[in-house]
Amino acid sequence: QVPLVESGGGSVQAGGSLRLSCTASAYAYKKTCMGWFRQTPGNKREGVGVIYGDGVKETWTDYTDSVKGRFSISQDNAKKTVYLQMNSLKPDDTAIYYCAAPKDGELCLLHNPEVFGTWGQGTQVTVTS
């Protein structure tokens, strides 16, 4: 099985919306933490948002400042899928978007991609002016 598979990317005009999906294999999916990251050529991978909790009742989300109020993360544990809803897209949002799961024992750190050990292959999001 492929650990994580992203889908839903594409090209949209500024102000438009996209919903990305990440479907995980049973061994790759983490109820306690899943993240979305993005990367542009020549730049470091940056955190977009994470969804985390105790895996039973409590769930929280965290987002990088540039996407707050526009992006939202949700998850479906039964389907082992995490979503990234992106609204009011801007050209600066253009990037390859990756979903990720942390290494065992690591915290769910939005700005520390090194703690994430399982990554999807990415899906391209292009926002035109």
Side-chain angles (χ1 to χ4, degrees):
Q1 293 181 292
V2 178
L4 301 172
V5 180
E6 303 97 335
S7 62
S11 181
V12 298
Q13 291 186 338
S17 298
L18 285 173
R19 189 180 77 157
L20 306 184
S21 298
C22 174
T23 299
S25 64
Y27 69 87
Y29 187 78
K30 302 292 182 65
K31 292 182 178 180
T32 56
C33 175
M34 294 294 292
W36 283 98
F37 295 78
R38 64 187 181 187
Q39 187 170 25
T40 55
N43 296 310
K44 298 175 64 176
R45 193 165 297 184
E46 65 175 351
V48 176
V50 293
I51 183 166
Y52 61 99
D54 61 10
V56 180
K57 293 182 178 180
E58 304 294 336
T59 301
W60 304 271
T61 55
D62 191 21
Y63 306 94
T64 192
D65 288 344
S66 64
V67 308
K68 287 181 178 178
R70 300 188 298 119
F71 291 10
S72 63
I73 296 175
S74 61
Q75 65 186 153
D76 186 330
N77 290 331
K79 295 181 178 179
K80 294 180 174 57
T81 300
V82 61
Y83 306 94
L84 179 65
Q85 178 67 47
M86 305 184 293
N87 300 322
S88 301
L89 283 162
K90 304 175 181 179
D92 286 348
D93 295 320
T94 295
I96 299 175
Y97 283 71
Y98 301 87
C99 66
K103 302 172 184 177
D104 290 342
E106 294 284 359
L107 298 176
C108 201
L109 303 176
L110 175 63
H111 301 295
N112 294 80
E114 67 272 12
V115 310
F116 290 80
T118 303
W119 297 84
Q121 63 182 325
T123 184
Q124 177 70 48
V125 172
T126 301
V127 184
T128 60
S129 301

Short mmCIF file of all heavy atoms in Angstrom, two decimals, residues 9-71:
data_model
loop_
_atom_site.label_atom_id
_atom_site.label_comp_id
_atom_site.label_asym_id
_atom_site.label_seq_id
_atom_site.Cartn_x
_atom_site.Cartn_y
_atom_site.Cartn_z
N GLY A 9 -5.80 18.53 -6.20
CA GLY A 9 -5.10 19.69 -6.68
C GLY A 9 -5.55 20.08 -8.08
O GLY A 9 -6.24 19.33 -8.76
N GLY A 10 -5.13 21.25 -8.50
CA GLY A 10 -5.49 21.74 -9.81
C GLY A 10 -5.15 23.20 -9.95
O GLY A 10 -4.45 23.78 -9.11
N SER A 11 -5.65 23.79 -11.01
CA SER A 11 -5.43 25.20 -11.29
C SER A 11 -6.73 25.97 -11.12
O SER A 11 -7.76 25.60 -11.70
CB SER A 11 -4.89 25.38 -12.71
OG SER A 11 -4.64 26.74 -13.00
N VAL A 12 -6.67 27.03 -10.33
CA VAL A 12 -7.84 27.86 -10.09
C VAL A 12 -7.45 29.33 -10.13
O VAL A 12 -6.28 29.68 -9.95
CB VAL A 12 -8.52 27.56 -8.74
CG1 VAL A 12 -9.02 26.13 -8.70
CG2 VAL A 12 -7.54 27.82 -7.59
N GLN A 13 -8.42 30.18 -10.36
CA GLN A 13 -8.18 31.61 -10.32
C GLN A 13 -8.17 32.10 -8.89
O GLN A 13 -8.76 31.49 -7.99
CB GLN A 13 -9.25 32.35 -11.11
CG GLN A 13 -9.19 32.14 -12.61
CD GLN A 13 -10.17 33.02 -13.36
OE1 GLN A 13 -11.15 33.49 -12.81
NE2 GLN A 13 -9.88 33.26 -14.63
N ALA A 14 -7.48 33.20 -8.68
CA ALA A 14 -7.46 33.80 -7.35
C ALA A 14 -8.88 34.04 -6.85
O ALA A 14 -9.75 34.49 -7.60
CB ALA A 14 -6.69 35.11 -7.39
N GLY A 15 -9.08 33.72 -5.59
CA GLY A 15 -10.40 33.83 -5.00
C GLY A 15 -11.20 32.55 -5.04
O GLY A 15 -12.23 32.44 -4.37
N GLY A 16 -10.72 31.58 -5.77
CA GLY A 16 -11.40 30.31 -5.88
C GLY A 16 -11.10 29.38 -4.72
O GLY A 16 -10.39 29.74 -3.79
N SER A 17 -11.65 28.19 -4.81
CA SER A 17 -11.51 27.21 -3.74
C SER A 17 -11.12 25.85 -4.28
O SER A 17 -11.41 25.50 -5.42
CB SER A 17 -12.83 27.06 -2.96
OG SER A 17 -13.22 28.27 -2.35
N LEU A 18 -10.46 25.09 -3.44
CA LEU A 18 -10.12 23.70 -3.72
C LEU A 18 -10.21 22.92 -2.42
O LEU A 18 -9.98 23.48 -1.34
CB LEU A 18 -8.71 23.55 -4.28
CG LEU A 18 -8.45 23.95 -5.73
CD1 LEU A 18 -6.95 23.88 -6.01
CD2 LEU A 18 -9.20 23.03 -6.68
N ARG A 19 -10.53 21.66 -2.52
CA ARG A 19 -10.47 20.78 -1.37
C ARG A 19 -9.53 19.63 -1.68
O ARG A 19 -9.76 18.86 -2.61
CB ARG A 19 -11.84 20.23 -0.98
CG ARG A 19 -11.79 19.48 0.36
CD ARG A 19 -13.13 18.92 0.79
NE ARG A 19 -13.49 17.71 0.06
CZ ARG A 19 -14.34 16.79 0.50
NH1 ARG A 19 -14.94 16.97 1.69
NH2 ARG A 19 -14.62 15.73 -0.23
N LEU A 20 -8.49 19.54 -0.90
CA LEU A 20 -7.53 18.46 -1.05
C LEU A 20 -7.89 17.32 -0.12
O LEU A 20 -8.38 17.53 0.98
CB LEU A 20 -6.11 18.95 -0.72
CG LEU A 20 -5.60 20.17 -1.48
CD1 LEU A 20 -4.16 20.45 -1.10
CD2 LEU A 20 -5.74 19.99 -2.98
N SER A 21 -7.63 16.13 -0.59
CA SER A 21 -7.88 14.94 0.22
C SER A 21 -6.59 14.15 0.35
O SER A 21 -5.77 14.14 -0.55
CB SER A 21 -8.95 14.05 -0.42
OG SER A 21 -10.19 14.72 -0.53
N CYS A 22 -6.45 13.50 1.46
CA CYS A 22 -5.31 12.62 1.70
C CYS A 22 -5.83 11.34 2.30
O CYS A 22 -6.33 11.33 3.43
CB CYS A 22 -4.30 13.28 2.63
SG CYS A 22 -2.94 12.21 3.13
N THR A 23 -5.72 10.28 1.55
CA THR A 23 -6.17 8.98 2.02
C THR A 23 -4.96 8.17 2.47
O THR A 23 -3.97 8.06 1.73
CB THR A 23 -6.92 8.23 0.92
OG1 THR A 23 -8.07 8.98 0.53
CG2 THR A 23 -7.38 6.86 1.42
N ALA A 24 -5.04 7.64 3.65
CA ALA A 24 -3.91 6.95 4.25
C ALA A 24 -4.16 5.46 4.39
O ALA A 24 -5.30 5.01 4.55
CB ALA A 24 -3.60 7.53 5.62
N SER A 25 -3.09 4.71 4.33
CA SER A 25 -3.16 3.29 4.64
C SER A 25 -3.36 3.14 6.14
O SER A 25 -3.17 4.08 6.92
CB SER A 25 -1.90 2.57 4.20
OG SER A 25 -0.77 3.05 4.91
N ALA A 26 -3.74 1.96 6.56
CA ALA A 26 -4.01 1.73 7.97
C ALA A 26 -2.80 2.00 8.85
O ALA A 26 -2.93 2.54 9.95
CB ALA A 26 -4.50 0.30 8.18
N TYR A 27 -1.62 1.63 8.37
CA TYR A 27 -0.43 1.81 9.19
C TYR A 27 0.09 3.24 9.17
O TYR A 27 0.82 3.64 10.08
CB TYR A 27 0.68 0.85 8.75
CG TYR A 27 1.29 1.15 7.39
CD1 TYR A 27 2.35 2.03 7.27
CD2 TYR A 27 0.81 0.53 6.25
CE1 TYR A 27 2.91 2.30 6.03
CE2 TYR A 27 1.36 0.79 5.01
CZ TYR A 27 2.42 1.68 4.91
OH TYR A 27 2.97 1.94 3.68
N ALA A 28 -0.28 4.01 8.16
CA ALA A 28 0.22 5.38 8.04
C ALA A 28 -0.67 6.40 8.74
O ALA A 28 -0.18 7.45 9.17
CB ALA A 28 0.38 5.76 6.58
N TYR A 29 -1.94 6.12 8.85
CA TYR A 29 -2.86 7.09 9.41
C TYR A 29 -2.69 7.21 10.92
O TYR A 29 -2.62 6.22 11.63
CB TYR A 29 -4.30 6.70 9.09
CG TYR A 29 -5.32 7.73 9.49
CD1 TYR A 29 -5.52 8.86 8.72
CD2 TYR A 29 -6.09 7.56 10.64
CE1 TYR A 29 -6.45 9.81 9.08
CE2 TYR A 29 -7.03 8.50 11.00
CZ TYR A 29 -7.21 9.63 10.22
OH TYR A 29 -8.15 10.56 10.58
N LYS A 30 -2.65 8.45 11.37
CA LYS A 30 -2.53 8.74 12.79
C LYS A 30 -3.73 9.56 13.25
O LYS A 30 -3.95 10.68 12.79
CB LYS A 30 -1.24 9.51 13.08
CG LYS A 30 0.05 8.79 12.65
CD LYS A 30 0.29 7.56 13.49
CE LYS A 30 1.59 6.88 13.08
NZ LYS A 30 2.77 7.72 13.34
N LYS A 31 -4.49 9.00 14.16
CA LYS A 31 -5.64 9.73 14.70
C LYS A 31 -5.22 10.94 15.51
O LYS A 31 -5.99 11.90 15.63
CB LYS A 31 -6.49 8.80 15.58
CG LYS A 31 -7.21 7.70 14.83
CD LYS A 31 -8.05 6.88 15.79
CE LYS A 31 -8.83 5.80 15.07
NZ LYS A 31 -9.66 5.00 16.01
N THR A 32 -4.04 10.90 16.06
CA THR A 32 -3.59 11.95 16.95
C THR A 32 -2.90 13.11 16.26
O THR A 32 -2.68 14.15 16.87
CB THR A 32 -2.65 11.38 18.02
OG1 THR A 32 -1.56 10.71 17.38
CG2 THR A 32 -3.39 10.39 18.91
N CYS A 33 -2.54 12.94 15.00
CA CYS A 33 -1.87 14.02 14.28
C CYS A 33 -1.76 13.73 12.80
O CYS A 33 -1.23 12.69 12.41
CB CYS A 33 -0.47 14.25 14.84
SG CYS A 33 0.51 15.49 13.94
N MET A 34 -2.25 14.64 11.99
CA MET A 34 -2.02 14.63 10.55
C MET A 34 -1.76 16.06 10.13
O MET A 34 -2.36 16.99 10.69
CB MET A 34 -3.20 14.05 9.79
CG MET A 34 -3.49 12.58 10.04
SD MET A 34 -2.17 11.48 9.44
CE MET A 34 -2.33 11.70 7.66
N GLY A 35 -0.90 16.24 9.16
CA GLY A 35 -0.54 17.58 8.75
C GLY A 35 -0.58 17.80 7.25
O GLY A 35 -0.51 16.85 6.47
N TRP A 36 -0.70 19.06 6.89
CA TRP A 36 -0.58 19.49 5.50
C TRP A 36 0.57 20.47 5.39
O TRP A 36 0.69 21.40 6.19
CB TRP A 36 -1.86 20.16 5.01
CG TRP A 36 -2.97 19.22 4.68
CD1 TRP A 36 -4.03 18.88 5.47
CD2 TRP A 36 -3.12 18.49 3.46
NE1 TRP A 36 -4.84 17.99 4.81
CE2 TRP A 36 -4.31 17.73 3.57
CE3 TRP A 36 -2.39 18.42 2.27
CZ2 TRP A 36 -4.77 16.90 2.54
CZ3 TRP A 36 -2.84 17.58 1.26
CH2 TRP A 36 -4.02 16.84 1.40
N PHE A 37 1.41 20.25 4.40
CA PHE A 37 2.56 21.09 4.15
C PHE A 37 2.57 21.47 2.68
O PHE A 37 1.87 20.87 1.86
CB PHE A 37 3.86 20.36 4.51
CG PHE A 37 3.99 20.06 5.98
CD1 PHE A 37 3.30 19.01 6.56
CD2 PHE A 37 4.81 20.84 6.78
CE1 PHE A 37 3.42 18.74 7.91
CE2 PHE A 37 4.94 20.58 8.14
CZ PHE A 37 4.24 19.53 8.70
N ARG A 38 3.37 22.46 2.35
CA ARG A 38 3.50 22.85 0.96
C ARG A 38 4.93 23.27 0.67
O ARG A 38 5.67 23.66 1.55
CB ARG A 38 2.52 23.97 0.60
CG ARG A 38 2.75 25.29 1.32
CD ARG A 38 1.62 26.25 1.02
NE ARG A 38 1.80 27.54 1.67
CZ ARG A 38 0.89 28.50 1.67
NH1 ARG A 38 -0.27 28.34 1.04
NH2 ARG A 38 1.15 29.66 2.30
N GLN A 39 5.28 23.19 -0.61
CA GLN A 39 6.64 23.50 -1.01
C GLN A 39 6.66 24.05 -2.43
O GLN A 39 5.97 23.54 -3.32
CB GLN A 39 7.52 22.26 -0.92
CG GLN A 39 9.00 22.50 -1.14
CD GLN A 39 9.83 21.29 -0.81
OE1 GLN A 39 9.34 20.15 -0.85
NE2 GLN A 39 11.09 21.50 -0.47
N THR A 40 7.46 25.09 -2.62
CA THR A 40 7.69 25.65 -3.94
C THR A 40 9.14 25.38 -4.33
O THR A 40 9.99 25.16 -3.46
CB THR A 40 7.41 27.16 -3.95
OG1 THR A 40 8.18 27.81 -2.93
CG2 THR A 40 5.94 27.43 -3.70
N PRO A 41 9.46 25.40 -5.62
CA PRO A 41 10.82 25.10 -6.06
C PRO A 41 11.87 25.97 -5.38
O PRO A 41 11.74 27.19 -5.32
CB PRO A 41 10.78 25.36 -7.56
CG PRO A 41 9.35 25.09 -7.93
CD PRO A 41 8.56 25.62 -6.77
N GLY A 42 12.90 25.33 -4.86
CA GLY A 42 13.99 26.05 -4.24
C GLY A 42 13.75 26.48 -2.81
O GLY A 42 14.64 27.07 -2.19
N ASN A 43 12.58 26.21 -2.29
CA ASN A 43 12.26 26.63 -0.93
C ASN A 43 12.04 25.43 -0.01
O ASN A 43 11.82 24.31 -0.47
CB ASN A 43 11.00 27.50 -0.93
CG ASN A 43 11.19 28.80 -1.66
OD1 ASN A 43 12.16 29.52 -1.42
ND2 ASN A 43 10.27 29.11 -2.56
N LYS A 44 12.13 25.70 1.26
CA LYS A 44 11.91 24.66 2.25
C LYS A 44 10.42 24.34 2.36
O LYS A 44 9.57 25.18 2.12
CB LYS A 44 12.45 25.10 3.61
CG LYS A 44 13.94 25.35 3.64
CD LYS A 44 14.39 25.90 4.98
CE LYS A 44 14.16 24.92 6.10
NZ LYS A 44 14.68 25.44 7.40
N ARG A 45 10.16 23.12 2.73
CA ARG A 45 8.78 22.72 2.95
C ARG A 45 8.25 23.43 4.19
O ARG A 45 8.91 23.47 5.23
CB ARG A 45 8.71 21.21 3.12
CG ARG A 45 7.32 20.63 3.05
CD ARG A 45 7.37 19.12 2.87
NE ARG A 45 8.02 18.76 1.61
CZ ARG A 45 8.13 17.50 1.17
NH1 ARG A 45 7.64 16.50 1.89
NH2 ARG A 45 8.73 17.26 0.02
N GLU A 46 7.06 24.00 4.08
CA GLU A 46 6.50 24.74 5.19
C GLU A 46 5.16 24.16 5.62
O GLU A 46 4.40 23.63 4.81
CB GLU A 46 6.32 26.22 4.82
CG GLU A 46 5.32 26.47 3.71
CD GLU A 46 5.07 27.94 3.46
OE1 GLU A 46 5.56 28.78 4.24
OE2 GLU A 46 4.40 28.26 2.46
N GLY A 47 4.88 24.31 6.89
CA GLY A 47 3.63 23.82 7.42
C GLY A 47 2.46 24.71 7.02
O GLY A 47 2.56 25.93 7.06
N VAL A 48 1.38 24.10 6.64
CA VAL A 48 0.15 24.80 6.33
C VAL A 48 -0.84 24.67 7.48
O VAL A 48 -1.39 25.66 7.96
CB VAL A 48 -0.48 24.27 5.03
CG1 VAL A 48 -1.82 24.94 4.76
CG2 VAL A 48 0.46 24.48 3.85
N GLY A 49 -1.04 23.46 7.92
CA GLY A 49 -1.94 23.22 9.03
C GLY A 49 -1.81 21.81 9.55
O GLY A 49 -1.35 20.92 8.85
N VAL A 50 -2.22 21.62 10.78
CA VAL A 50 -2.22 20.30 11.39
C VAL A 50 -3.54 20.10 12.12
O VAL A 50 -4.17 21.06 12.55
CB VAL A 50 -1.05 20.08 12.37
CG1 VAL A 50 0.28 20.06 11.63
CG2 VAL A 50 -1.04 21.15 13.45
N ILE A 51 -3.93 18.86 12.23
CA ILE A 51 -5.08 18.50 13.03
C ILE A 51 -4.60 17.44 14.01
O ILE A 51 -3.95 16.47 13.62
CB ILE A 51 -6.26 18.00 12.16
CG1 ILE A 51 -7.48 17.69 13.04
CG2 ILE A 51 -5.87 16.81 11.31
CD1 ILE A 51 -8.76 17.54 12.23
N TYR A 52 -4.90 17.62 15.28
CA TYR A 52 -4.35 16.74 16.29
C TYR A 52 -5.30 16.63 17.48
O TYR A 52 -6.21 17.43 17.64
CB TYR A 52 -2.97 17.23 16.76
CG TYR A 52 -2.97 18.61 17.37
CD1 TYR A 52 -2.96 18.78 18.75
CD2 TYR A 52 -2.95 19.74 16.57
CE1 TYR A 52 -2.94 20.04 19.31
CE2 TYR A 52 -2.93 21.01 17.12
CZ TYR A 52 -2.92 21.15 18.50
OH TYR A 52 -2.91 22.41 19.05
N GLY A 53 -5.05 15.64 18.29
CA GLY A 53 -5.87 15.42 19.46
C GLY A 53 -5.47 14.15 20.17
O GLY A 53 -4.38 13.62 19.94
N ASP A 54 -6.34 13.67 21.03
CA ASP A 54 -6.04 12.47 21.79
C ASP A 54 -6.46 11.20 21.05
O ASP A 54 -6.26 10.09 21.56
CB ASP A 54 -6.68 12.51 23.17
CG ASP A 54 -8.20 12.62 23.14
OD1 ASP A 54 -8.79 12.48 22.07
OD2 ASP A 54 -8.79 12.83 24.22
N GLY A 55 -7.07 11.37 19.90
CA GLY A 55 -7.50 10.23 19.12
C GLY A 55 -8.80 9.60 19.58
O GLY A 55 -9.25 8.61 18.99
N VAL A 56 -9.41 10.19 20.60
CA VAL A 56 -10.65 9.66 21.15
C VAL A 56 -11.77 10.70 21.12
O VAL A 56 -12.82 10.48 20.51
CB VAL A 56 -10.46 9.16 22.59
CG1 VAL A 56 -11.77 8.60 23.13
CG2 VAL A 56 -9.37 8.09 22.63
N LYS A 57 -11.53 11.83 21.78
CA LYS A 57 -12.57 12.85 21.89
C LYS A 57 -12.13 14.24 21.47
O LYS A 57 -12.86 14.94 20.77
CB LYS A 57 -13.09 12.91 23.33
CG LYS A 57 -13.83 11.69 23.81
CD LYS A 57 -14.35 11.89 25.22
CE LYS A 57 -15.14 10.70 25.70
NZ LYS A 57 -15.65 10.89 27.09
N GLU A 58 -10.96 14.64 21.91
CA GLU A 58 -10.51 16.01 21.70
C GLU A 58 -9.74 16.16 20.40
O GLU A 58 -8.87 15.35 20.08
CB GLU A 58 -9.63 16.45 22.86
CG GLU A 58 -10.29 16.34 24.23
CD GLU A 58 -11.46 17.29 24.38
OE1 GLU A 58 -11.50 18.32 23.68
OE2 GLU A 58 -12.34 17.02 25.22
N THR A 59 -10.07 17.21 19.65
CA THR A 59 -9.41 17.50 18.40
C THR A 59 -9.17 19.00 18.29
O THR A 59 -10.05 19.80 18.63
CB THR A 59 -10.24 17.03 17.20
OG1 THR A 59 -10.46 15.62 17.29
CG2 THR A 59 -9.51 17.33 15.89
N TRP A 60 -8.00 19.35 17.84
CA TRP A 60 -7.64 20.74 17.64
C TRP A 60 -6.99 20.90 16.29
O TRP A 60 -6.49 19.94 15.71
CB TRP A 60 -6.67 21.22 18.72
CG TRP A 60 -7.16 21.05 20.12
CD1 TRP A 60 -7.89 21.92 20.86
CD2 TRP A 60 -6.92 19.91 20.97
NE1 TRP A 60 -8.13 21.42 22.11
CE2 TRP A 60 -7.55 20.18 22.21
CE3 TRP A 60 -6.25 18.70 20.80
CZ2 TRP A 60 -7.53 19.28 23.27
CZ3 TRP A 60 -6.21 17.80 21.85
CH2 TRP A 60 -6.85 18.11 23.07
N THR A 61 -6.99 22.13 15.79
CA THR A 61 -6.31 22.44 14.56
C THR A 61 -5.40 23.65 14.77
O THR A 61 -5.63 24.47 15.65
CB THR A 61 -7.29 22.74 13.41
OG1 THR A 61 -8.19 23.78 13.81
CG2 THR A 61 -8.09 21.50 13.05
N ASP A 62 -4.38 23.73 13.95
CA ASP A 62 -3.47 24.86 13.99
C ASP A 62 -3.06 25.16 12.55
O ASP A 62 -2.87 24.24 11.75
CB ASP A 62 -2.24 24.52 14.84
CG ASP A 62 -1.38 25.74 15.14
OD1 ASP A 62 -1.89 26.87 15.06
OD2 ASP A 62 -0.20 25.56 15.48
N TYR A 63 -2.91 26.45 12.24
CA TYR A 63 -2.60 26.87 10.89
C TYR A 63 -1.52 27.93 10.89
O TYR A 63 -1.39 28.70 11.84
CB TYR A 63 -3.85 27.45 10.20
CG TYR A 63 -5.05 26.55 10.21
CD1 TYR A 63 -6.00 26.65 11.21
CD2 TYR A 63 -5.22 25.60 9.21
CE1 TYR A 63 -7.11 25.81 11.23
CE2 TYR A 63 -6.32 24.76 9.22
CZ TYR A 63 -7.26 24.87 10.23
OH TYR A 63 -8.36 24.04 10.24
N THR A 64 -0.79 27.96 9.81
CA THR A 64 0.18 29.04 9.66
C THR A 64 -0.58 30.34 9.42
O THR A 64 -1.70 30.34 8.90
CB THR A 64 1.14 28.73 8.50
OG1 THR A 64 2.24 29.65 8.54
CG2 THR A 64 0.45 28.85 7.16
N ASP A 65 0.00 31.44 9.83
CA ASP A 65 -0.69 32.72 9.82
C ASP A 65 -1.24 33.10 8.45
O ASP A 65 -2.32 33.68 8.35
CB ASP A 65 0.23 33.83 10.31
CG ASP A 65 0.49 33.77 11.80
OD1 ASP A 65 -0.27 33.08 12.51
OD2 ASP A 65 1.44 34.42 12.25
N SER A 66 -0.52 32.78 7.41
CA SER A 66 -0.91 33.21 6.08
C SER A 66 -2.19 32.56 5.56
O SER A 66 -2.78 33.04 4.59
CB SER A 66 0.23 32.97 5.08
OG SER A 66 0.51 31.59 4.95
N VAL A 67 -2.62 31.47 6.18
CA VAL A 67 -3.82 30.79 5.70
C VAL A 67 -4.96 30.82 6.70
O VAL A 67 -6.06 30.34 6.39
CB VAL A 67 -3.53 29.32 5.31
CG1 VAL A 67 -2.35 29.25 4.35
CG2 VAL A 67 -3.28 28.45 6.54
N LYS A 68 -4.74 31.38 7.86
CA LYS A 68 -5.79 31.43 8.87
C LYS A 68 -7.00 32.18 8.35
O LYS A 68 -6.89 33.25 7.75
CB LYS A 68 -5.28 32.09 10.14
CG LYS A 68 -4.32 31.23 10.94
CD LYS A 68 -3.86 31.93 12.21
CE LYS A 68 -2.94 31.05 13.01
NZ LYS A 68 -2.44 31.73 14.23
N GLY A 69 -8.16 31.61 8.58
CA GLY A 69 -9.39 32.21 8.10
C GLY A 69 -9.76 31.81 6.69
O GLY A 69 -10.88 32.08 6.24
N ARG A 70 -8.84 31.17 5.98
CA ARG A 70 -9.09 30.75 4.61
C ARG A 70 -9.06 29.24 4.44
O ARG A 70 -9.81 28.69 3.65
CB ARG A 70 -8.06 31.38 3.67
CG ARG A 70 -8.06 32.89 3.66
CD ARG A 70 -7.17 33.45 2.56
NE ARG A 70 -5.77 33.07 2.74
CZ ARG A 70 -5.06 32.35 1.86
NH1 ARG A 70 -5.62 31.92 0.74
NH2 ARG A 70 -3.79 32.07 2.10
N PHE A 71 -8.17 28.58 5.16
CA PHE A 71 -8.02 27.13 5.06
C PHE A 71 -8.57 26.46 6.31
O PHE A 71 -8.54 27.03 7.40
CB PHE A 71 -6.55 26.74 4.93
CG PHE A 71 -5.89 27.13 3.63
CD1 PHE A 71 -6.51 27.97 2.71
CD2 PHE A 71 -4.62 26.65 3.34
CE1 PHE A 71 -5.88 28.33 1.53
CE2 PHE A 71 -3.99 27.00 2.16
CZ PHE A 71 -4.62 27.84 1.25
#
